[in-house]
Amino acid sequence: MYGARNIIPRLPNFLAAHPLLRVELSVVDERQDLVAEGTDVAIRLGLLNDSGFGARSLGILPRLVVASPSYLAIRGTPKTPADLASHDCIFGPGQSGRTSWSFTRNGTETSVDVRGRITTDSGPGVFASVQAGLGIAITSPIVAGPEIAAGTLVPLLKSYKLSPIDVYAVFPGGRRPSTKVRALVDYLATDMKQTP
């Protein structure tokens, strides 16, 4: 979802400035082996495990919890993080095996053990599940903004903050990316700072 909502819409201006460049996209949630796949650059969210690769920070992605109006009508609206313990939470990529969500408010961190019946390995799976009224999910304003504006998703616990996630461009071959990769990464870094 992040790639579809925040990276692909930035490509028209980049490609217009580089008319001879071709882009082959693979929009997936699992971490691929960049060398084995022959990938020039990957956009990754969260912690980086590929210490032998080069990386450049593109920004920070804020996160929030959301639910559908239909879910909230049946189960009620949580007022504090502790209330999430009695709700169905949806687990997505990077949350496998994690049973707690941590929030910060006024400098104080609160962790709550959460449970749920839905675990999926993809962002679109999380998004479809929360829209279907199957529970409460963690997402980002970039991904869920249109649905929040339309009222089909409701942001929850607005006075509590989840830790943001770092966004990186990762490239094989050490710290010096190819000219085409450098052009794309420079463009994304600049554009994302101007229009987060």
Side-chain angles (χ1 to χ4, degrees), residues 6-105:
N6 198 41
I7 301 299
I8 293 172
R10 297 177 189 277
L11 293 180
N13 289 339
F14 174 74
L15 291 174
H18 301 276
L20 299 179
L21 192 62
R22 292 180 59 234
V23 175
E24 183 178 330
L25 295 171
S26 175
V27 183
V28 296
D29 286 326
E30 68 268 3
R31 290 188 184 236
Q32 296 177 307
D33 182 332
L34 301 184
V35 175
E37 298 287 332
T39 302
D40 292 319
V41 63
I43 307 302
R44 294 209 170 143
L45 307 178
L47 297 175
L48 295 180
N49 297 325
D50 306 310
S51 59
F53 291 166
R56 179 169 174 189
S57 174
L58 296 179
I60 296 175
L61 183 65
R63 300 184 304 156
L64 70 156
V65 287
V66 296
S68 69
S70 63
Y71 175 86
L72 298 174
I74 295 168
R75 298 292 300 272
T77 301
K79 304 295 184 207
T80 69
D83 294 342
L84 293 174
S86 62
H87 282 269
D88 286 324
C89 294
I90 299 167
F91 298 94
Q95 295 176 317
S96 178
R98 297 176 67 186
T99 58
S100 66
W101 291 352
S102 296
F103 298 82
T104 303
R105 181 178 179 192

Coordinates of all heavy atoms in Angstrom, one line a residue, residues 6-105:
N6 N 2.4 6.2 -2.1 CA 3.4 7.3 -1.8 C 4.6 7.3 -2.8 O 5.2 8.3 -2.9 CB 3.8 7.2 -0.4 CG 4.5 8.5 0.0 OD1 4.0 9.6 -0.3 ND2 5.6 8.5 0.7
I7 N 4.9 6.2 -3.4 CA 6.0 6.1 -4.3 C 5.6 6.2 -5.8 O 6.1 7.1 -6.5 CB 6.9 4.8 -4.1 CG1 7.4 4.8 -2.6 CG2 8.0 4.8 -5.1 CD1 8.3 5.9 -2.2
I8 N 4.7 5.4 -6.2 CA 4.3 5.4 -7.6 C 3.7 6.8 -8.0 O 4.0 7.2 -9.1 CB 3.3 4.2 -7.9 CG1 4.0 2.9 -7.7 CG2 2.6 4.4 -9.3 CD1 3.1 1.7 -7.8
P9 N 2.9 7.4 -7.2 CA 2.4 8.7 -7.6 C 3.5 9.8 -7.8 O 3.3 10.8 -8.5 CB 1.5 9.2 -6.5 CG 1.0 7.9 -5.9 CD 2.2 7.0 -6.0
R10 N 4.7 9.5 -7.3 CA 5.8 10.5 -7.5 C 6.6 10.2 -8.8 O 7.4 11.0 -9.2 CB 6.7 10.4 -6.3 CG 6.1 10.8 -5.0 CD 7.1 10.6 -3.8 NE 6.4 10.8 -2.5 CZ 6.1 12.0 -2.0 NH1 6.5 13.1 -2.5 NH2 5.5 12.0 -0.8
L11 N 6.3 9.1 -9.4 CA 7.1 8.7 -10.6 C 6.9 9.5 -11.9 O 7.8 9.7 -12.7 CB 7.0 7.2 -10.9 CG 7.5 6.3 -9.8 CD1 7.3 4.8 -10.2 CD2 9.0 6.5 -9.6
P12 N 5.7 10.0 -12.2 CA 5.5 10.8 -13.4 C 6.5 11.9 -13.6 O 7.1 12.1 -14.7 CB 4.0 11.3 -13.3 CG 3.4 10.2 -12.5 CD 4.4 9.8 -11.5
N13 N 6.7 12.7 -12.6 CA 7.6 13.9 -12.7 C 9.0 13.4 -12.9 O 9.8 14.0 -13.6 CB 7.5 14.8 -11.5 CG 6.2 15.6 -11.5 OD1 5.6 15.7 -12.6 ND2 5.8 16.1 -10.4
F14 N 9.4 12.3 -12.1 CA 10.8 11.8 -12.3 C 11.0 11.2 -13.7 O 12.0 11.5 -14.3 CB 11.0 10.7 -11.2 CG 12.3 10.0 -11.4 CD1 13.5 10.6 -11.0 CD2 12.3 8.7 -11.9 CE1 14.7 9.9 -11.2 CE2 13.6 8.0 -12.1 CZ 14.7 8.7 -11.7
L15 N 10.0 10.5 -14.2 CA 10.2 9.9 -15.5 C 10.2 11.0 -16.6 O 10.9 10.9 -17.6 CB 9.2 8.8 -15.8 CG 9.3 7.6 -15.0 CD1 8.2 6.6 -15.2 CD2 10.7 6.9 -15.3
A16 N 9.4 12.0 -16.4 CA 9.4 13.1 -17.4 C 10.8 13.8 -17.4 O 11.2 14.2 -18.5 CB 8.4 14.2 -17.0
A17 N 11.5 13.9 -16.3 CA 12.8 14.5 -16.3 C 13.9 13.5 -16.8 O 15.0 13.9 -17.1 CB 13.2 14.9 -14.8
H18 N 13.6 12.2 -16.9 CA 14.5 11.2 -17.3 C 13.9 10.3 -18.4 O 13.6 9.1 -18.1 CB 15.0 10.3 -16.1 CG 15.7 11.1 -15.1 ND1 17.0 11.5 -15.1 CD2 15.2 11.7 -13.9 CE1 17.3 12.2 -14.0 NE2 16.2 12.3 -13.3
P19 N 13.6 10.8 -19.6 CA 12.8 10.2 -20.6 C 13.4 8.8 -21.1 O 12.7 8.0 -21.6 CB 12.7 11.2 -21.7 CG 13.8 12.2 -21.5 CD 14.1 12.2 -20.0
L20 N 14.7 8.6 -20.9 CA 15.3 7.4 -21.4 C 15.3 6.3 -20.4 O 15.7 5.1 -20.7 CB 16.8 7.6 -21.9 CG 16.9 8.6 -23.1 CD1 18.3 8.8 -23.4 CD2 16.1 8.2 -24.3
L21 N 15.0 6.6 -19.2 CA 15.0 5.6 -18.1 C 13.8 4.8 -18.0 O 12.7 5.3 -18.2 CB 15.2 6.4 -16.7 CG 15.5 5.5 -15.5 CD1 16.9 4.8 -15.7 CD2 15.6 6.4 -14.3
R22 N 13.9 3.5 -17.8 CA 12.8 2.6 -17.7 C 12.8 2.1 -16.2 O 13.8 1.9 -15.6 CB 13.0 1.4 -18.6 CG 12.8 1.7 -20.1 CD 13.0 0.5 -21.0 NE 12.0 -0.5 -20.7 CZ 12.3 -1.8 -20.4 NH1 13.5 -2.2 -20.4 NH2 11.3 -2.6 -20.1
V23 N 11.6 1.9 -15.7 CA 11.4 1.5 -14.3 C 10.6 0.2 -14.3 O 9.5 0.1 -15.0 CB 10.7 2.5 -13.5 CG1 10.4 2.0 -12.1 CG2 11.5 3.8 -13.4
E24 N 11.1 -0.8 -13.7 CA 10.4 -2.1 -13.5 C 10.1 -2.2 -12.0 O 11.0 -2.2 -11.2 CB 11.3 -3.3 -13.9 CG 10.5 -4.6 -13.8 CD 11.4 -5.8 -14.3 OE1 12.2 -5.5 -15.2 OE2 11.2 -6.9 -13.8
L25 N 8.8 -2.2 -11.7 CA 8.4 -2.2 -10.3 C 8.0 -3.6 -9.8 O 7.4 -4.3 -10.5 CB 7.2 -1.3 -10.1 CG 7.3 0.2 -10.4 CD1 6.0 0.9 -10.4 CD2 8.2 0.8 -9.4
S26 N 8.4 -3.8 -8.5 CA 7.9 -5.0 -7.8 C 7.3 -4.5 -6.5 O 8.1 -4.0 -5.6 CB 9.0 -6.0 -7.6 OG 8.5 -7.1 -6.8
V27 N 6.0 -4.4 -6.3 CA 5.4 -3.8 -5.2 C 5.0 -5.0 -4.3 O 3.9 -5.6 -4.5 CB 4.2 -2.9 -5.5 CG1 3.7 -2.3 -4.3 CG2 4.7 -1.9 -6.5
V28 N 5.8 -5.3 -3.3 CA 5.6 -6.5 -2.4 C 6.0 -6.1 -1.0 O 6.7 -5.1 -0.8 CB 6.4 -7.7 -2.8 CG1 6.0 -8.2 -4.2 CG2 7.9 -7.4 -2.8
D29 N 5.4 -6.8 0.0 CA 5.7 -6.5 1.4 C 6.9 -7.2 1.9 O 7.6 -6.8 2.8 CB 4.5 -6.8 2.3 CG 3.4 -5.7 2.1 OD1 3.7 -4.5 1.8 OD2 2.2 -6.1 2.1
E30 N 7.1 -8.5 1.4 CA 8.2 -9.2 2.0 C 9.6 -8.7 1.5 O 9.6 -8.1 0.4 CB 8.1 -10.7 1.7 CG 8.3 -11.1 0.2 CD 7.0 -11.1 -0.6 OE1 5.9 -10.8 0.0 OE2 7.0 -11.4 -1.8
R31 N 10.6 -8.9 2.3 CA 11.9 -8.4 2.0 C 12.5 -9.4 1.0 O 12.7 -10.5 1.3 CB 12.8 -8.2 3.2 CG 12.3 -7.1 4.1 CD 13.2 -6.8 5.2 NE 12.6 -5.7 6.0 CZ 13.2 -4.6 6.3 NH1 14.4 -4.4 5.8 NH2 12.6 -3.7 7.0
Q32 N 12.8 -8.9 -0.2 CA 13.4 -9.7 -1.2 C 15.0 -9.6 -1.1 O 15.5 -8.6 -0.6 CB 13.0 -9.2 -2.6 CG 11.5 -9.4 -2.8 CD 11.1 -8.9 -4.2 OE1 11.3 -7.7 -4.5 NE2 10.4 -9.7 -4.9
D33 N 15.6 -10.6 -1.7 CA 17.1 -10.6 -1.8 C 17.4 -9.8 -3.0 O 17.2 -10.2 -4.1 CB 17.6 -12.1 -2.0 CG 19.1 -12.2 -2.1 OD1 19.7 -11.2 -2.5 OD2 19.6 -13.2 -1.7
L34 N 17.9 -8.6 -2.7 CA 18.1 -7.6 -3.8 C 19.1 -8.1 -4.8 O 18.9 -7.9 -6.0 CB 18.6 -6.3 -3.3 CG 17.6 -5.6 -2.3 CD1 18.2 -4.2 -1.9 CD2 16.2 -5.4 -2.8
V35 N 20.1 -8.8 -4.4 CA 21.1 -9.3 -5.3 C 20.6 -10.4 -6.2 O 20.7 -10.4 -7.4 CB 22.4 -9.8 -4.5 CG1 23.4 -10.4 -5.5 CG2 23.0 -8.6 -3.8
A36 N 19.9 -11.4 -5.5 CA 19.4 -12.5 -6.3 C 18.3 -12.1 -7.2 O 18.2 -12.7 -8.3 CB 18.8 -13.6 -5.3
E37 N 17.5 -11.1 -6.9 CA 16.4 -10.6 -7.7 C 16.9 -9.6 -8.8 O 16.2 -9.2 -9.7 CB 15.4 -9.9 -6.9 CG 14.7 -10.8 -5.9 CD 13.7 -11.8 -6.5 OE1 13.2 -11.5 -7.6 OE2 13.5 -12.9 -5.9
G38 N 18.2 -9.2 -8.7 CA 18.7 -8.2 -9.6 C 18.1 -6.8 -9.5 O 17.9 -6.1 -10.4
T39 N 17.7 -6.5 -8.2 CA 17.0 -5.2 -7.9 C 18.0 -4.1 -7.7 O 19.0 -4.3 -7.1 CB 16.2 -5.4 -6.7 OG1 15.3 -6.5 -6.9 CG2 15.4 -4.1 -6.3
D40 N 17.8 -3.0 -8.4 CA 18.7 -1.8 -8.2 C 18.5 -1.1 -6.9 O 19.4 -0.6 -6.3 CB 18.5 -0.9 -9.4 CG 18.9 -1.4 -10.7 OD1 20.0 -2.1 -10.8 OD2 18.2 -1.3 -11.7
V41 N 17.2 -0.9 -6.5 CA 16.9 -0.2 -5.3 C 15.6 -0.7 -4.7 O 14.7 -1.1 -5.5 CB 16.8 1.4 -5.6 CG1 15.7 1.7 -6.6 CG2 16.7 2.2 -4.3
A42 N 15.5 -0.7 -3.4 CA 14.2 -1.0 -2.7 C 13.9 0.1 -1.8 O 14.8 0.7 -1.2 CB 14.4 -2.4 -2.0
I43 N 12.6 0.3 -1.6 CA 12.1 1.2 -0.6 C 11.7 0.3 0.6 O 10.8 -0.5 0.5 CB 11.0 2.1 -1.1 CG1 11.3 2.8 -2.4 CG2 10.5 3.1 0.0 CD1 12.5 3.7 -2.3
R44 N 12.3 0.5 1.8 CA 12.0 -0.3 2.9 C 11.6 0.5 4.1 O 12.1 1.6 4.3 CB 13.2 -1.1 3.3 CG 13.5 -2.2 2.2 CD 14.2 -3.4 2.7 NE 14.3 -4.4 1.7 CZ 15.3 -5.2 1.5 NH1 16.3 -5.1 2.4 NH2 15.3 -6.1 0.6
L45 N 10.6 0.0 4.9 CA 10.1 0.6 6.0 C 10.6 -0.1 7.3 O 10.7 -1.3 7.3 CB 8.6 0.6 6.0 CG 7.9 1.2 4.8 CD1 6.4 1.0 4.9 CD2 8.3 2.6 4.6
G46 N 11.0 0.6 8.3 CA 11.4 0.0 9.6 C 12.9 -0.2 9.6 O 13.7 0.4 8.9
L47 N 13.3 -1.2 10.5 CA 14.7 -1.5 10.7 C 15.3 -2.1 9.5 O 14.7 -2.9 8.8 CB 14.8 -2.4 11.9 CG 14.4 -1.8 13.3 CD1 14.4 -2.9 14.3 CD2 15.2 -0.6 13.7
L48 N 16.6 -1.8 9.3 CA 17.3 -2.4 8.2 C 18.2 -3.5 8.7 O 18.9 -3.4 9.6 CB 18.2 -1.3 7.5 CG 17.5 -0.1 6.8 CD1 18.5 0.8 6.2 CD2 16.6 -0.6 5.8
N49 N 18.1 -4.7 8.0 CA 18.9 -5.8 8.3 C 20.0 -6.1 7.4 O 20.9 -6.8 7.6 CB 18.0 -7.1 8.4 CG 16.9 -7.0 9.4 OD1 17.2 -6.4 10.5 ND2 15.8 -7.5 9.2
D50 N 20.0 -5.4 6.2 CA 21.0 -5.7 5.2 C 22.2 -4.8 5.4 O 22.4 -3.8 4.6 CB 20.4 -5.4 3.8 CG 19.1 -6.2 3.6 OD1 19.1 -7.4 3.8 OD2 18.1 -5.6 3.2
S51 N 23.0 -5.1 6.4 CA 24.1 -4.2 6.7 C 25.2 -4.0 5.6 O 25.9 -3.1 5.6 CB 24.8 -4.7 8.0 OG 25.3 -6.0 7.8
G52 N 25.2 -5.0 4.7 CA 26.2 -4.9 3.6 C 25.7 -4.0 2.5 O 26.5 -3.8 1.5
F53 N 24.5 -3.5 2.5 CA 24.0 -2.7 1.5 C 24.1 -1.2 1.8 O 24.2 -0.8 3.0 CB 22.5 -3.0 1.2 CG 22.2 -4.4 0.6 CD1 21.0 -4.9 0.6 CD2 23.3 -5.1 0.0 CE1 20.7 -6.2 0.1 CE2 23.0 -6.4 -0.5 CZ 21.8 -6.9 -0.5
G54 N 24.0 -0.4 0.8 CA 24.0 1.0 1.0 C 22.5 1.4 1.3 O 21.6 0.7 0.9
A55 N 22.4 2.5 2.0 CA 21.0 3.0 2.3 C 21.0 4.5 2.5 O 22.0 5.1 2.8 CB 20.5 2.3 3.6
R56 N 19.9 5.1 2.2 CA 19.7 6.5 2.4 C 18.3 6.7 3.0 O 17.3 6.2 2.5 CB 19.8 7.2 1.1 CG 19.6 8.7 1.3 CD 19.9 9.5 0.0 NE 19.5 10.9 0.2 CZ 19.6 11.8 -0.8 NH1 20.0 11.4 -2.0 NH2 19.2 13.0 -0.6
S57 N 18.2 7.5 4.0 CA 17.0 7.8 4.7 C 16.2 8.7 3.8 O 16.7 9.7 3.2 CB 17.2 8.5 6.0 OG 16.0 9.0 6.6
L58 N 14.9 8.4 3.6 CA 14.0 9.2 2.8 C 13.0 10.0 3.7 O 12.3 10.8 3.2 CB 13.2 8.3 1.8 CG 14.0 7.6 0.8 CD1 13.1 6.7 -0.1 CD2 14.8 8.6 -0.1
G59 N 12.9 9.6 4.9 CA 12.0 10.3 5.8 C 11.5 9.4 6.9 O 11.9 8.2 7.1
I60 N 10.5 9.9 7.6 CA 9.8 9.2 8.7 C 8.3 9.1 8.4 O 7.7 10.1 8.1 CB 10.1 9.9 10.0 CG1 11.6 9.9 10.3 CG2 9.3 9.2 11.2 CD1 12.0 10.6 11.6
L61 N 7.8 7.9 8.6 CA 6.4 7.7 8.4 C 5.6 7.6 9.7 O 5.8 6.7 10.5 CB 6.2 6.3 7.6 CG 4.8 5.9 7.2 CD1 4.3 6.9 6.1 CD2 4.9 4.5 6.6
P62 N 4.8 8.6 10.0 CA 3.9 8.5 11.2 C 2.9 7.4 11.1 O 2.6 6.9 10.0 CB 3.2 9.9 11.2 CG 3.3 10.4 9.8 CD 4.5 9.8 9.2
R63 N 2.5 6.9 12.2 CA 1.5 5.8 12.2 C 0.4 6.1 13.2 O 0.5 7.0 14.0 CB 2.2 4.5 12.7 CG 3.3 4.0 11.9 CD 3.9 2.7 12.3 NE 4.3 2.7 13.7 CZ 4.4 1.6 14.4 NH1 4.2 0.4 13.9 NH2 4.8 1.7 15.7
L64 N -0.7 5.5 13.0 CA -1.9 5.6 13.8 C -2.7 4.4 13.8 O -2.5 3.5 13.0 CB -2.8 6.8 13.3 CG -3.5 6.7 12.0 CD1 -4.7 7.6 11.9 CD2 -2.6 7.0 10.8
V65 N -3.7 4.3 14.7 CA -4.6 3.1 14.7 C -6.0 3.6 14.1 O -6.4 4.7 14.3 CB -4.8 2.5 16.1 CG1 -3.6 1.7 16.5 CG2 -5.1 3.5 17.1
V66 N -6.6 2.7 13.3 CA -7.9 3.0 12.7 C -8.8 1.8 12.8 O -8.3 0.6 13.0 CB -7.7 3.3 11.2 CG1 -6.9 4.6 11.0 CG2 -7.0 2.2 10.4
A67 N -10.0 2.0 12.6 CA -11.1 1.0 12.5 C -12.2 1.5 11.6 O -12.3 2.7 11.3 CB -11.6 0.7 13.9
S68 N -13.0 0.6 11.1 CA -14.1 1.0 10.3 C -15.3 1.4 11.2 O -15.4 0.9 12.3 CB -14.6 -0.2 9.4 OG -15.1 -1.2 10.2
P69 N -16.2 2.3 10.7 CA -17.4 2.6 11.4 C -18.2 1.4 11.8 O -18.8 1.4 12.9 CB -18.1 3.6 10.5 CG -17.1 4.2 9.6 CD -16.1 3.0 9.4
S70 N -18.3 0.4 10.9 CA -19.1 -0.8 11.2 C -18.5 -1.6 12.4 O -19.3 -2.0 13.2 CB -19.2 -1.7 10.0 OG -17.9 -2.2 9.6
Y71 N -17.2 -1.7 12.5 CA -16.6 -2.4 13.6 C -16.9 -1.6 14.9 O -17.2 -2.2 15.9 CB -15.0 -2.5 13.4 CG -14.4 -3.1 14.6 CD1 -14.3 -4.5 14.8 CD2 -13.8 -2.3 15.6 CE1 -13.7 -5.0 15.9 CE2 -13.2 -2.8 16.7 CZ -13.1 -4.2 16.9 OH -12.5 -4.7 18.0
L72 N -16.7 -0.3 14.9 CA -16.9 0.5 16.1 C -18.3 0.5 16.5 O -18.6 0.6 17.7 CB -16.4 2.0 15.8 CG -14.9 2.1 15.5 CD1 -14.6 3.5 15.1 CD2 -14.0 1.6 16.7
A73 N -19.3 0.4 15.6 CA -20.7 0.4 15.9 C -21.0 -0.9 16.7 O -21.9 -0.8 17.6 CB -21.5 0.5 14.7
I74 N -20.3 -1.9 16.4 CA -20.6 -3.2 17.1 C -19.8 -3.3 18.4 O -20.3 -3.7 19.4 CB -20.3 -4.4 16.2 CG1 -21.3 -4.4 15.0 CG2 -20.4 -5.7 16.9 CD1 -20.9 -5.4 13.9
R75 N -18.5 -3.0 18.3 CA -17.6 -3.2 19.4 C -17.3 -2.0 20.3 O -16.7 -2.2 21.4 CB -16.3 -3.8 18.9 CG -16.4 -5.1 18.1 CD -16.7 -6.2 19.0 NE -15.7 -6.4 20.0 CZ -14.6 -7.2 19.9 NH1 -14.4 -7.8 18.8 NH2 -13.7 -7.3 20.9
G76 N -17.7 -0.8 19.9 CA -17.4 0.4 20.7 C -16.0 1.0 20.3 O -15.2 0.3 19.7
T77 N -15.8 2.2 20.7 CA -14.6 2.9 20.4 C -13.7 2.9 21.6 O -14.1 3.4 22.7 CB -15.0 4.4 20.0 OG1 -15.8 4.4 18.9 CG2 -13.7 5.2 19.6
P78 N -12.5 2.4 21.4 CA -11.5 2.5 22.5 C -11.1 3.9 22.9 O -10.9 4.8 22.0 CB -10.3 1.7 22.0 CG -10.4 1.7 20.5 CD -11.9 1.8 20.2
K79 N -11.1 4.2 24.2 CA -10.7 5.6 24.6 C -9.3 5.7 25.1 O -8.7 6.8 25.0 CB -11.6 6.0 25.8 CG -13.1 5.9 25.5 CD -13.5 6.9 24.4 CE -15.0 6.9 24.2 NZ -15.4 7.3 22.9
T80 N -8.7 4.6 25.5 CA -7.3 4.5 25.9 C -6.6 3.3 25.3 O -7.3 2.4 24.9 CB -7.2 4.4 27.5 OG1 -7.6 3.2 27.9 CG2 -7.9 5.5 28.2
P81 N -5.3 3.3 25.3 CA -4.6 2.1 24.7 C -5.0 0.8 25.5 O -5.2 -0.3 24.9 CB -3.1 2.4 24.9 CG -3.1 3.9 24.8 CD -4.3 4.4 25.5
A82 N -5.3 0.9 26.8 CA -5.7 -0.3 27.6 C -6.9 -0.9 27.0 O -7.1 -2.1 27.1 CB -5.8 0.1 29.0
D83 N -7.8 -0.1 26.5 CA -9.1 -0.6 25.9 C -8.9 -1.5 24.7 O -9.7 -2.4 24.4 CB -10.0 0.6 25.5 CG -10.5 1.4 26.6 OD1 -10.4 1.0 27.8 OD2 -10.9 2.6 26.3
L84 N -7.7 -1.4 24.1 CA -7.4 -2.3 22.9 C -7.3 -3.8 23.3 O -7.5 -4.7 22.5 CB -6.1 -1.9 22.2 CG -6.1 -0.5 21.6 CD1 -4.7 -0.2 21.1 CD2 -7.1 -0.5 20.4
A85 N -7.1 -4.0 24.6 CA -7.0 -5.4 25.1 C -8.3 -6.2 24.9 O -8.2 -7.4 24.8 CB -6.5 -5.5 26.5
S86 N -9.4 -5.5 24.8 CA -10.7 -6.2 24.6 C -11.2 -6.1 23.2 O -12.4 -6.3 23.0 CB -11.7 -5.6 25.6 OG -11.9 -4.2 25.4
H87 N -10.3 -5.7 22.3 CA -10.7 -5.6 20.9 C -10.0 -6.5 20.0 O -8.9 -7.1 20.4 CB -10.4 -4.1 20.4 CG -11.5 -3.1 20.8 ND1 -12.6 -2.8 20.1 CD2 -11.5 -2.4 22.0 CE1 -13.3 -1.9 20.7 NE2 -12.7 -1.6 21.9
D88 N -10.5 -6.8 18.8 CA -9.8 -7.6 17.8 C -8.8 -6.6 17.1 O -9.2 -5.7 16.5 CB -10.7 -8.2 16.8 CG -11.5 -9.3 17.4 OD1 -10.9 -10.1 18.2 OD2 -12.7 -9.5 17.0
C89 N -7.5 -7.0 17.2 CA -6.5 -6.2 16.5 C -6.0 -7.0 15.3 O -5.9 -8.2 15.4 CB -5.4 -5.8 17.4 SG -5.9 -4.7 18.7
I90 N -5.6 -6.3 14.2 CA -5.2 -6.9 13.0 C -3.7 -6.8 12.9 O -3.1 -5.7 13.1 CB -5.9 -6.3 11.8 CG1 -7.4 -6.5 11.9 CG2 -5.3 -6.9 10.5 CD1 -8.2 -5.6 10.9
F91 N -3.0 -7.9 12.7 CA -1.5 -7.9 12.6 C -1.1 -8.0 11.2 O -1.5 -8.9 10.4 CB -1.0 -9.1 13.5 CG -1.3 -9.0 14.9 CD1 -2.5 -9.7 15.4 CD2 -0.6 -8.3 15.8 CE1 -2.8 -9.6 16.7 CE2 -0.9 -8.2 17.1 CZ -2.0 -8.8 17.6
G92 N -0.1 -7.2 10.8 CA 0.4 -7.1 9.5 C 1.9 -7.4 9.4 O 2.5 -7.9 10.3
P93 N 2.4 -7.1 8.2 CA 3.9 -7.3 8.0 C 4.7 -6.6 9.1 O 4.4 -5.5 9.6 CB 4.2 -6.6 6.7 CG 2.9 -6.5 6.0 CD 1.8 -6.4 7.1
G94 N 5.7 -7.4 9.6 CA 6.6 -6.9 10.7 C 6.0 -7.0 12.1 O 6.7 -6.7 13.0
Q95 N 4.8 -7.5 12.2 CA 4.2 -7.6 13.5 C 4.0 -9.1 13.9 O 3.5 -9.4 15.0 CB 2.8 -6.9 13.6 CG 2.8 -5.5 13.4 CD 1.4 -4.9 13.3 OE1 0.5 -5.4 12.7 NE2 1.3 -3.8 14.0
S96 N 4.5 -10.0 13.1 CA 4.4 -11.4 13.4 C 5.1 -11.7 14.7 O 6.2 -11.4 15.0 CB 5.0 -12.2 12.3 OG 5.0 -13.6 12.6
G97 N 4.3 -12.3 15.6 CA 4.9 -12.7 16.9 C 4.8 -11.6 17.9 O 5.1 -11.9 19.1
R98 N 4.5 -10.4 17.6 CA 4.4 -9.3 18.5 C 3.0 -9.2 19.1 O 2.1 -9.2 18.3 CB 4.8 -8.0 17.9 CG 6.3 -8.1 17.4 CD 6.7 -6.8 16.7 NE 6.7 -5.7 17.6 CZ 6.9 -4.5 17.2 NH1 7.0 -4.2 15.9 NH2 6.9 -3.5 18.1
T99 N 2.9 -9.2 20.4 CA 1.6 -9.1 21.0 C 1.4 -7.8 21.8 O 0.4 -7.8 22.5 CB 1.5 -10.3 22.0 OG1 2.5 -10.2 23.0 CG2 1.5 -11.6 21.2
S100 N 2.2 -6.8 21.6 CA 1.9 -5.6 22.3 C 2.2 -4.4 21.4 O 3.0 -4.5 20.5 CB 2.8 -5.4 23.5 OG 4.2 -5.3 23.2
W101 N 1.4 -3.4 21.6 CA 1.5 -2.1 20.8 C 1.8 -1.0 21.9 O 1.3 -1.0 23.0 CB 0.2 -1.8 20.1 CG -0.1 -2.7 18.9 CD1 0.7 -3.7 18.4 CD2 -1.3 -2.7 18.2 NE1 0.0 -4.3 17.4 CE2 -1.2 -3.7 17.2 CE3 -2.5 -1.9 18.2 CZ2 -2.2 -3.9 16.3 CZ3 -3.5 -2.1 17.3 CH2 -3.4 -3.2 16.4
S102 N 2.8 -0.2 21.5 CA 3.2 0.9 22.5 C 2.8 2.2 22.0 O 3.0 2.6 20.8 CB 4.8 0.8 22.6 OG 5.1 -0.4 23.2
F103 N 2.4 3.0 22.9 CA 1.9 4.4 22.6 C 2.6 5.4 23.5 O 3.0 5.0 24.6 CB 0.4 4.5 22.8 CG -0.4 3.7 21.9 CD1 -0.7 2.3 22.2 CD2 -1.0 4.2 20.8 CE1 -1.4 1.5 21.4 CE2 -1.8 3.4 19.9 CZ -2.0 2.1 20.2
T104 N 2.7 6.6 23.1 CA 3.3 7.7 24.0 C 2.3 8.8 24.1 O 1.7 9.2 23.1 CB 4.6 8.2 23.4 OG1 5.5 7.1 23.2 CG2 5.3 9.2 24.3
R105 N 2.2 9.3 25.3 CA 1.4 10.5 25.5 C 2.0 11.3 26.6 O 2.3 10.8 27.7 CB 0.0 10.1 25.9 CG -1.0 11.2 26.2 CD -2.4 10.7 26.5 NE -3.2 11.8 26.8 CZ -4.4 11.7 27.3 NH1 -4.9 10.5 27.7 NH2 -5.2 12.7 27.5

